[in-house]
Amino acid sequence: MTTIMKKINLISLLILCISMLTIVSCNSDNLDEAVTIQDQSVPSKGNLASKVAAFGKNPLSVMYVEVNNNDIREVGKYTLADGRPLFDVAIIFAANINYNTSTQKAYLHFNNQVTNVLTNKDVYIKPLQDKGIKVMLSILGNHQGAGFANFPNQAAAQAFAQELANAVNTYGLDGIDFDDEYAQYGANGTGQPNQFSFVYLVTALRELLPNKIISLYNYGPSASNLSYNGVTVGSKVDFVWNPYYSTYSAPNIPGLDNAHKGAAAINVRPGTGTYTSTSTLTNFAQRTKDDGYGVFLYYDLGATNIASYFSNATNILYGQSTVYGDGTTTPTTGIISGATYQLVSATNGTSLLDVSNSGTADGTKVQLWSSNNSNAQKWKVTDVGGGYYKLQPLNGPTKSLDVSNSGTANGTQVQIYTDNGTNAQKWKITSAGSGYYNVSPAHAATSNLDVNGGATTDGSKIQIWSANTGNAQKWKFVKL
């Protein structure tokens, strides 16, 4: 009798459970089904422990680089004293989430500088990855009403996640960073932030990129809408960090422990309102170490050597000083400051950088010309600090190689002009392999000295152009 009662009770319980599940299923919104906690087809973040361990360093050092003005390859120049990269993650700042008023949909947008970095991934991205540095793309609002927190439904969020995943896969990136600034929610008739949008987005992105890094710059409405229908953003992202520079405050994100948070936020650019002083940097490094946070965040790396600044943090965090320069942005053969060189174009291997008609007036154009041993083809190369050089023609020793009007557009003429110390006269010399080098102006770090159209004829225009791997941008420095 007892056995029969147990069987009856078990059958009754099973019927009751099935009935309850049926009721829940029937009353659920279809949009919610893909993100319910019961749906095992939706992955959480990848093997987080192995991701952290793979860096071999604690805390991780993360650097945002404003690629509109700076060269992301600078990240690779900083190492610890033992040769390991200082920075574990470099973030391209930034692509945008834009809004198409015709289709009423958000879409991923790259400006010219970001496009240049991505399309020339072998120049800008792969060299960092070859050093073990992960390269991520940050996504930022663009005052058009589109943001991560106002997708109107799950399908819209999934469509944008697919665009992000496509970018990661196309350009060989290591992940996506979300920065919910400047969205201007409500513009162009867009909706206000809602509770489900960001959860839908990161859930879809994690499914598409199970083994990539997803991080959150903890700012804006997205940072306030972190849970929906039993799913948390913390279960999908890998890292989150404090967005307020020169402050120390760890974000509270359910699902992430201290090892995956950054409390310190460091602005390394002197002269800006949120620049982090050396004393504050040192204090934050000690607190990060004492509190066990796993990320130390930096922002706005430029071209100036600030290894001594970083050493204030790295001596505490890693017990080692920071070293700048490893041959990636200066010729491995070594430029001798004050020596004279001819610059031979790789377009034909014989033609030289030349001052037109041996002119000496401000604004005289620089051109390509066959070798003739004139002083207009001989350049004194002088170190001006920060990894940059000025190039002065012997026929006009008070002049310097100069970008006309400090222009940054593709095709801007290169000329000679009275030496004035501006960034339009400072040039970085970067190895391009096979004895050739790229020459990049400080005011337009993502552009190179370029022969128009890769021409070889005498008189061909010398200009600046977005960096690429073509021979038109490769120059051999021949010491005289």
Side-chain angles (χ1 to χ4, degrees):
M1 185 71 177
T2 302
T3 302
I4 294 174
M5 285 299 297
K6 284 182 179 179
K7 288 181 179 179
I8 293 173
N9 288 339
L10 288 171
I11 293 170
S12 299
L13 181 60
L14 180 61
I15 293 171
L16 177 62
C17 290
I18 293 172
S19 299
M20 291 178 67
L21 288 172
T22 302
I23 292 171
V24 170
S25 177
C26 290
N27 290 328
S28 294
D29 188 324
N30 287 337
L31 291 176
D32 296 345
E33 291 177 1
V35 293
T36 55
I37 199 166
Q38 291 85 5
D39 188 348
Q40 298 302 310
S41 66
V42 178
S44 292
K45 57 199 168 205
N47 188 336
L48 191 57
S50 65
K51 284 184 183 179
V52 174
F55 286 102
K57 197 149 123 278
N58 187 23
L60 307 182
S61 287
V62 177
M63 175 60 79
Y64 281 91
V65 179
E66 294 256 17
V67 298
N68 284 356
N69 306 308
N70 300 302
D71 190 334
I72 196 167
R73 292 172 295 184
E74 283 293 310
V75 171
K77 292 202 69 177
Y78 291 91
T79 64
L80 299 178
D82 65 6
R84 288 181 297 165
L86 165 58
F87 299 109
D88 303 281
V89 178
I91 300 181
I92 301 167
F93 191 79
N96 296 106
I97 177 172
N98 279 11
Y99 188 72
N100 186 320
T101 55
S102 297
T103 62
Q104 296 185 328
K105 293 180 180 179
Y107 67 95
L108 182 60
H109 171 74
F110 305 137
N111 68 19
N112 290 340
Q113 290 77 21
V114 172
T115 297
N116 179 57
V117 172
L118 295 177
T119 56
N120 291 287
K121 60 184 179 182
D122 289 342
V123 175
Y124 292 103
I125 297 172
K126 191 174 184 300
L128 296 178
Q129 293 172 327
D130 288 344
K131 294 174 181 289
I133 300 169
K134 302 295 185 184
V135 181
M136 299 174 62
L137 179 64
S138 187
I139 315 299
L140 182 70
N142 202 17
H143 310 281
Q144 298 183 11
F148 316 126
N150 69 342
F151 288 108
N153 51 53
Q154 186 180 20
Q158 289 176 328
F160 190 72
Q162 186 66 63
E163 288 192 57
L164 296 176
N166 291 344
V168 168
N169 293 326
T170 298
Y171 301 113
L173 298 167
D174 295 295
I176 292 292
D177 172 69
F178 290 108
D179 180 356
D180 195 6
E181 296 183 87
Y182 310 117
Q184 199 175 336
Y185 289 101
N188 292 315
T190 56
Q192 292 300 316
N194 59 59
Q195 186 179 2
F196 58 77
S197 177
F198 192 45
V199 175
Y200 283 150
L201 178 61
V202 295
T203 298
L205 188 62
R206 176 52 71 200
E207 185 171 33
L208 292 165
L209 301 174
N211 298 312
K212 298 290 185 176
I213 302 170
I214 304 176
S215 61
L216 172 61
Y217 186 85
N218 193 52
Y219 190 89
S222 293
S224 301
N225 291 281
L226 300 173
S227 178
Y228 183 67
N229 201 31
V231 177
T232 64
V233 167
S235 70
K236 306 300 178 184
V237 305
D238 301 296
F239 300 103
V240 63
W241 35 73
N242 170 24
Y244 301 102
Y245 295 109
S246 294
T247 71
Y248 185 92
S249 177
N252 180 19
I253 306 294
L256 287 179
D257 58 13
N258 285 357
H260 303 98
K261 296 178 181 179
I266 310 299
N267 181 344
V268 307
R269 177 77 67 171
T272 55
T274 57
Y275 172 67
T276 306
S277 68
T278 298
S279 59
T280 300
L281 171 68
T282 303
N283 174 266
F284 285 1
Q286 189 62 57
R287 292 174 68 180
T288 294
K289 184 176 180 180
D290 294 343
D291 295 340
Y293 289 112
V295 177
F296 203 74
L297 178 69
Y298 302 90
Y299 165 72
D300 211 9
L301 183 66
T304 303
N305 176 358
I306 55 171
S308 61
Y309 175 86
F310 289 131
S311 290
N312 291 283
T314 60
N315 281 325
I316 294 170
L317 297 174
Y318 312 117
Q320 299 184 47
S321 60
T322 300
V323 178
Y324 177 78
D326 59 359
T328 61
T329 58
T330 55
T332 54
T333 54
I335 286 291
I336 300 174
S337 183
T340 301
Y341 294 83
Q342 289 180 321
L343 275 67
V344 183
S345 172
T347 55
N348 60 9
T350 58
S351 294
L352 304 177
L353 187 69
D354 176 279
V355 181
S356 179
N357 294 317
S358 295
T360 59
D362 283 347
T364 300
K365 295 178 180 179
V366 174
Q367 61 185 6
L368 190 72
W369 200 270
S370 301
S371 178
N372 57 25
N373 200 38
S374 71
N375 284 343
Q377 298 183 344
K378 299 174 183 178
W379 301 83
K380 181 181 177 181
V381 180
T382 305
D383 188 343
V384 293
Y388 287 94
Y389 296 84
K390 63 180 178 181
L391 285 74
Q392 297 175 288
L394 293 195
N395 74 297
T398 63
K399 310 296 181 180
S400 285
L401 190 68
D402 176 281
V403 180
S404 180
N405 295 315
S406 296
T408 58
N410 283 341
T412 301
Q413 176 74 51
V414 176
Q415 60 185 12
I416 61 168
Y417 202 89
T418 299
D419 185 30
N420 56 30
T422 63
N423 284 341
Q425 295 185 353
K426 296 177 182 178
W427 302 84
K428 178 163 290 184
I429 303 169
T430 306
S431 176
S434 302
Y436 285 94
Y437 301 93
N438 299 128
V439 183
S440 176
H443 79 289
T446 59
S447 296
N448 285 333
L449 190 70
D450 178 281
V451 181
N452 183 35
T456 60
T457 55
D458 285 349
S460 294
K461 177 184 178 182
I462 302 297
Q463 60 190 8
I464 62 167
W465 196 272
S466 297
N468 57 57
T469 58
N471 285 339
Q473 297 189 353
K474 296 177 182 178
W475 301 88
K476 181 174 291 185
F477 282 71
V478 178
K479 185 175 176 296
L480 300 177

